[in-house]
Amino acid sequence: MVSDVPSDSAADAPPSASRWTARESEFLAVTLRLLQEHGYDRLTLEAVATEAKASKATMYRRWPSKAELVIAAFIEGTRVSAIAPRTGSLRADLLEIGAQVCEQADEHAATMRAVLTEMSRIPELSAAMQDEFVHQRKSLMTQVLTEAVNRGDIDAAVISDEIWDLLPGYLVFRCVMPGRPPGPETVRLLVDEVLMPSLTRDMPSD
Amino acid sequence: MVSDVPSDSAADAPPSASRWTARESEFLAVTLRLLQEHGYDRLTLEAVATEAKASKATMYRRWPSKAELVIAAFIEGTRVSAIAPRTGSLRADLLEIGAQVCEQADEHAATMRAVLTEMSRIPELSAAMQDEFVHQRKSLMTQVLTEAVNRGDIDAAVISDEIWDLLPGYLVFRCVMPGRPPGPETVRLLVDEVLMPSLTRDMPSD
């Protein structure tokens, strides 16, 4: 997927590289699959080791706790989509990012609920999530907005550091709330009726 | 708190009434306090019963599980603020609602994380949350927007049923994500730079 994304600048940030070996990535993929099948509570490191035909010691050496394994799996499983869509249109870029968030959040809703609870208990996990997930998403959003500024579509002053994650944050909220998963219409309304009017609003000229 | 809120219409919805007796409300208040002190995992119905000087049987009769007790306590603890601010200005109403959500979400962040996880496991809890919490909040938001339409501040066509909870939803997301609690500036930016430009945008005239 990564190699299919066109890149039009030599100064681009490198496509987010995995920090895991192929074998480790395989453990993480197995973890994600078992999470989706059985949920966080019923997942054990033993089950992942068995399924991945590895020793428990190997697993424990890399991920001393279930929470660490699950956060690593979640970050790795959502890594490839942390690349700016580059459609050439701000609206289309935002729609694409929204669709990606919905797809991931739908796939990983139960994992995300568990991850939220675990993160609040274990500060190191919260730090890992910040460094490897949140910063990556923020840089993606900044890139999309900067390109729109460079095209002259929006004013640089409309970009907010404080509420940069309104789009993904609200969609994640909708995914973790039972019964109201967001759909394409949610994303369209959010982009057309909220984000675009906000980003293209008149700014004071002084 | 309820009696302080001015009401200027006889047709108002009644201020959201508690469905609990005074004694039951006391149990729920104790539950909320213990949740804030010790967190969801360490809370037991026994501890609540002891603290409230009630028998365990009394507690279990009303709330057969910890999850049911916690959701009832959460809904009851946030009930009084489900009243429209009625400042006479849409912007001020939205700022007030945002401030209320932040205050509650800050107070109950750990409870909300636990409630999200439990709701996804137990459909009845999810239904209770929908009926007693979500619908109440939605009617509050609808009331604030309808008043703005009646004052001629906004066009009725800008009101979205699909993303009515963007303001509270994003703020709750920020509260349950570790390390980024929303503050007054978050609410101000959300209202002034996102919601107001969206709600006052030009609508097609046909």
Side-chain angles (χ1 to χ4, degrees):
Chain A
M1 244 175 112
V2 173
S3 58
D4 290 336
V5 175
S7 169
D8 55 26
S9 159
D12 273 354
S16 63
S18 177
R19 66 187 182 93
W20 307 108
T21 64
R23 183 69 174 131
E24 286 166 338
S25 296
E26 194 186 329
F27 296 156
L28 296 177
V30 167
T31 303
L32 262 195
R33 178 164 56 76
L34 294 182
L35 271 171
Q36 281 155 25
E37 287 171 16
H38 307 295
Y40 183 84
D41 285 347
R42 287 198 284 159
L43 183 85
T44 60
L45 265 78
E46 288 75 6
V48 176
T50 305
E51 192 80 10
K53 299 189 174 49
S55 76
K56 277 189 282 181
T58 305
M59 300 291 302
Y60 278 111
R61 228 178 358 250
R62 286 175 180 80
W63 302 285
S65 72
K66 179 165 96 168
E68 283 164 278
L69 175 67
V70 166
I71 290 211
F74 175 74
I75 292 171
E76 181 66 11
T78 55
R79 187 178 49 82
V80 287
S81 68
I83 293 164
R86 310 200 148 214
T87 62
S89 136
L90 176 58
R91 175 176 181 269
D93 278 0
L94 293 174
L95 288 172
E96 177 61 29
I97 291 175
Q100 281 176 5
V101 173
C102 288
E103 192 187 334
Q104 284 180 3
D106 178 53
E107 207 176 327
H108 304 299
T111 304
M112 287 195 321
R113 285 187 202 104
V115 161
L116 280 177
T117 306
E118 296 302 314
M119 276 199 301
S120 65
R121 276 187 252 196
I122 309 172
E124 300 77 45
L125 294 184
S126 175
M129 193 73 162
Q130 285 291 325
D131 289 346
E132 298 186 46
F133 187 81
V134 178
H135 288 178
Q136 219 169 48
R137 298 307 153 126
K138 187 172 181 180
S139 108
L140 182 157
M141 189 64 84
T142 306
Q143 198 178 331
V144 162
L145 293 174
T146 305
E147 285 168 11
V149 170
N150 292 342
R151 282 192 305 264
D153 296 344
I154 60 170
D155 189 322
V158 301
I159 300 177
S160 165
D161 194 55
E162 174 60 28
I163 54 171
W164 68 268
D165 58 350
L166 178 60
L167 172 66
Y170 175 69
L171 293 172
V172 166
F173 164 81
R174 287 283 300 266
C175 286
V176 297
M177 275 294 286
R180 286 187 74 215
E185 182 64 1
T186 322
V187 175
R188 195 195 65 72
L189 287 168
L190 202 52
V191 170
D192 284 343
E193 307 200 342
V194 180
L195 297 175
M196 291 304 290
S198 165
L199 293 168
T200 58
R201 71 189 185 278
D202 285 334
M203 298 297 288
S205 54
D206 50 328
Chain B
M1 242 176 114
V2 174
S3 58
D4 291 334
V5 174
S7 170
D8 55 27
S9 159
D12 273 354
S16 63
S18 178
R19 65 186 182 96
W20 306 109
T21 65
R23 184 68 174 132
E24 286 166 340
S25 295
E26 195 187 328
F27 296 156
L28 296 177
V30 168
T31 303
L32 262 194
R33 178 164 57 77
L34 294 182
L35 272 170
Q36 281 157 25
E37 287 172 16
H38 307 295
Y40 182 85
D41 285 346
R42 288 197 284 159
L43 183 86
T44 61
L45 265 78
E46 288 76 5
V48 175
T50 305
E51 192 79 10
K53 299 190 173 47
S55 76
K56 278 190 281 183
T58 306
M59 301 292 300
Y60 278 111
R61 225 174 6 247
R62 286 176 181 79
W63 302 286
S65 73
K66 178 165 94 168
E68 282 163 278
L69 175 65
V70 166
I71 289 211
F74 175 75
I75 292 171
E76 181 66 11
T78 56
R79 186 179 49 81
V80 286
S81 68
I83 294 164
R86 311 201 146 211
T87 62
S89 137
L90 176 58
R91 175 176 181 269
D93 279 0
L94 293 174
L95 288 173
E96 177 61 29
I97 291 175
Q100 280 176 6
V101 173
C102 288
E103 192 188 335
Q104 283 181 4
D106 179 54
E107 207 177 326
H108 304 299
T111 304
M112 288 195 322
R113 285 187 203 105
V115 161
L116 280 176
T117 307
E118 296 303 313
M119 277 199 300
S120 65
R121 276 186 252 195
I122 310 172
E124 298 79 42
L125 294 184
S126 175
M129 192 74 162
Q130 284 291 325
D131 288 347
E132 299 188 45
F133 186 81
V134 178
H135 288 178
Q136 220 168 47
R137 299 306 152 127
K138 187 173 181 180
S139 109
L140 183 156
M141 189 65 85
T142 305
Q143 199 179 329
V144 162
L145 293 174
T146 305
E147 285 169 12
V149 170
N150 291 343
R151 283 191 305 265
D153 297 344
I154 61 171
D155 188 324
V158 302
I159 300 177
S160 164
D161 194 55
E162 174 61 27
I163 54 172
W164 69 269
D165 58 350
L166 178 60
L167 172 66
Y170 174 70
L171 293 173
V172 166
F173 165 80
R174 287 283 299 267
C175 286
V176 298
M177 275 293 287
R180 286 189 75 215
E185 182 64 3
T186 320
V187 175
R188 195 195 64 74
L189 288 168
L190 202 52
V191 171
D192 284 343
E193 306 199 343
V194 180
L195 298 176
M196 291 303 292
S198 165
L199 293 167
T200 59
R201 70 190 185 278
D202 285 333
M203 298 297 290
S205 54
D206 51 329

